[in-house]
Amino acid sequence: DLKAGVKVLFKCKITFHPQYQLSLAVEDINPEFTLGGMEVKIKEIIARLEKEAILSNNKMLNNPLDFTKIAVIAPSEAAGLGDFKKDADILEKYSLCKFDYYPAIFQGKETEKSVTSAIMDALSKSDIYDALIVIRGGGAKTDLHFLNEYEIAKSICLASIPVFVGVGHERDKGLLDIVGH
């Protein structure tokens, strides 16, 4: 999907009509160009996190012995959150685990600020949580790419508790999968 902030390479035809002026008709779009740009950005962020010596910090944290209180960051009305809550609600019903939800915007230009803020809010109470979970259902690769931002990745790298990531489908691997626990 064409959205603000997505770089595209396209073939177009430009025509001039005396009555309608100049028009541009897109004839073809090269998706490899867009996806290739995304991969370059991810590699640059990984290199920056490696240089700062924090890339693997979250992976090196120990798993908690028990998962009794979990912070969850997700888009508030996402289908993926609904799927997650079906099981989480059962665990809460039987007092096996408590979940606190921190909503965030996962798509669009506000994603980096919104998700980073939600992570920081949850981590400000990290002494009460066993882990943090970041979840979002599947979607187009370009939709998931909004999460591939430096500040989001850095906040996960510096988290004092394990951060588990469930974003997209199993075949989707983004920056958060690389830096998360």
Side-chain angles (χ1 to χ4, degrees), residues 16 26 54 57 73 75 87-88 90 92 103 106 112 119-120 127 131-132 134 143 149 152 178:
F16 179 79
V26 175
I54 61 172
N57 283 10
I73 297 173
D87 292 328
I90 294 169
E92 282 197 302
F106 274 51
E112 183 174 22
I119 290 171
M120 299 314 288
D127 57 319
L132 173 68
V134 180
D143 293 344
E149 294 293 341
I152 298 172
I178 294 167

Side-chain angles (χ1 to χ4, degrees), residues 6-91:
V6 174
K7 293 180 183 180
V8 296
L9 176 64
F10 58 87
K11 178 181 176 183
C12 65
K13 182 177 182 177
I14 300 173
T15 56
F16 179 79
H17 188 278
Q19 182 179 357
Y20 302 111
Q21 304 298 324
L22 194 64
S23 68
L24 179 120
V26 175
E27 295 181 343
D28 195 16
I29 296 176
N30 182 340
E32 285 80 27
F33 176 84
T34 302
L35 297 175
M38 292 177 186
E39 292 303 317
V40 168
K41 179 181 177 182
I42 291 170
K43 287 179 182 177
E44 288 171 351
I45 294 171
I46 290 170
R48 184 175 175 186
L49 295 169
E50 282 177 333
K51 185 176 180 182
E52 295 171 1
I54 61 172
L55 179 69
S56 300
N57 283 10
N58 202 264
K59 289 192 182 318
M60 295 189 307
L61 295 175
N62 291 326
N63 277 330
L65 295 176
D66 291 310
F67 290 87
T68 58
K69 187 145 174 124
I70 308 290
V72 179
I73 297 173
S76 58
E77 300 300 321
L81 178 61
D83 293 343
F84 178 86
K85 287 184 86 170
K86 277 191 264 181
D87 292 328
D89 289 348
I90 294 169
L91 294 171

Side-chain angles (χ1 to χ4, degrees), residues 72-78 81 100-108 110-122 132-136 147 152 176:
V72 179
I73 297 173
S76 58
E77 300 300 321
L81 178 61
D100 290 336
Y101 296 92
Y102 295 82
I105 297 167
F106 274 51
Q107 199 169 317
E110 295 297 316
T111 300
E112 183 174 22
K113 181 180 176 186
S114 180
V115 173
T116 302
S117 177
I119 290 171
M120 299 314 288
D121 285 349
L132 173 68
I133 299 175
V134 180
I135 54 173
R136 180 201 188 278
L147 294 167
I152 298 172
L176 304 191

